[in-house]
């Protein structure tokens, strides 16, 4: 996910990846028309049985080459991402580990407010929209903090978390990047 700010508005570009051999199984299991998202270009089939992280790096390369979009910082969840991060760093991309949990509450609040104000645009990516609709917030009663969780165990919220990761590094490096 990449978030670009222009004129006080934020535009979200996201890409999803799925192992090729999982497509039919997950269409049936999740009851989601992933094949349509592949045809629309929002979902890339990658690898046979696991996502080939080179394809993720290639997406960032495509943004840079074709659209002149260079991600100043790429936020990531450290879970199962070391190969990708090593490859990205070796190719000159700057990355930052975004710790997942209660600490994301301020960014989530800001995202929610901007979304309600119409200041965040996610385009026509219905796969991303479904991830946003699958998010619930789990509250910690003694300090008013919360973290994103799936509404049901079978739901997917990776798209939402990706936006929050992008907004987190944007917030952290805002003064360095000089938007």
């Amino acid at each position: 996910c990449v978030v670009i700010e222009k004129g006080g508005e934020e535009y979200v570009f996201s890409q999803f990846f799925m192992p090729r051999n999982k497509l039919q199984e997950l269409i049936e299991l999740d009851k989601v028309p992933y094949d349509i998202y592949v045809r629309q270009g929002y979902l890339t089939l990658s690898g046979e049985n696991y996502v080939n992280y080179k394809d993720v790096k290639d997406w960032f390369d495509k943004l840079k080459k074709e659209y002149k979009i260079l991600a100043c910082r790429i936020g990531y969840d450290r879970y199962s991402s070391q190969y990708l991060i090593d490859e990205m760093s070796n190719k000159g991309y700057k990355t930052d580990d975004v710790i997942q949990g209660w600490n994301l509450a301020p960014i989530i609040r800001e995202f929610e407010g901007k979304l309600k104000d119409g200041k965040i645009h996610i385009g026509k990516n219905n796969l991303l929209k479904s991830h946003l609709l699958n998010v619930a917030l789990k509250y910690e009663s003694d300090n008013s903090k919360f973290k994103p969780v799936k509404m049901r165990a079978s739901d997917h919220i990776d798209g939402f978390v990706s936006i929050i990761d992008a907004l987190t590094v944007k917030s952290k490096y805002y003064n360095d990047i000089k938007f």
Side-chain angles (χ1 to χ4, degrees), residues 53-108:
Y53 292 109
K54 183 181 178 305
D55 292 335
V56 178
K57 185 201 71 67
D58 289 348
W59 181 70
F60 282 97
D61 290 345
K62 178 181 177 179
L63 288 177
K64 185 177 172 183
K65 183 177 180 182
E66 291 183 27
Y67 303 105
K68 309 295 184 235
I69 296 172
L70 174 61
C72 300
R73 291 280 174 177
I74 300 170
Y76 67 93
D77 175 358
R78 72 178 76 158
Y79 176 77
S80 188
S81 63
Q82 198 56 53
Y83 291 122
L84 172 61
I85 297 312
D86 290 346
E87 175 76 12
M88 301 282 293
S89 295
N90 290 337
K91 298 297 181 183
Y93 288 98
K94 295 179 182 177
T95 60
D96 193 2
D97 181 9
V98 177
I99 298 169
Q100 307 298 308
W102 306 104
N103 57 303
L104 297 175
I107 297 295
I108 293 170

Side-chain angles (χ1 to χ4, degrees), residues 4 25 29 32 43 68 81-82 84 91 95 104 115 118 146 152 155 164 166-167 169:
I4 297 173
E25 174 188 336
L29 182 66
V32 174
L43 175 63
K68 309 295 184 235
S81 63
Q82 198 56 53
L84 172 61
K91 298 297 181 183
T95 60
L104 297 175
L115 197 60
F146 52 85
R152 290 177 301 277
D155 286 344
I164 298 305
L167 291 172
V169 295

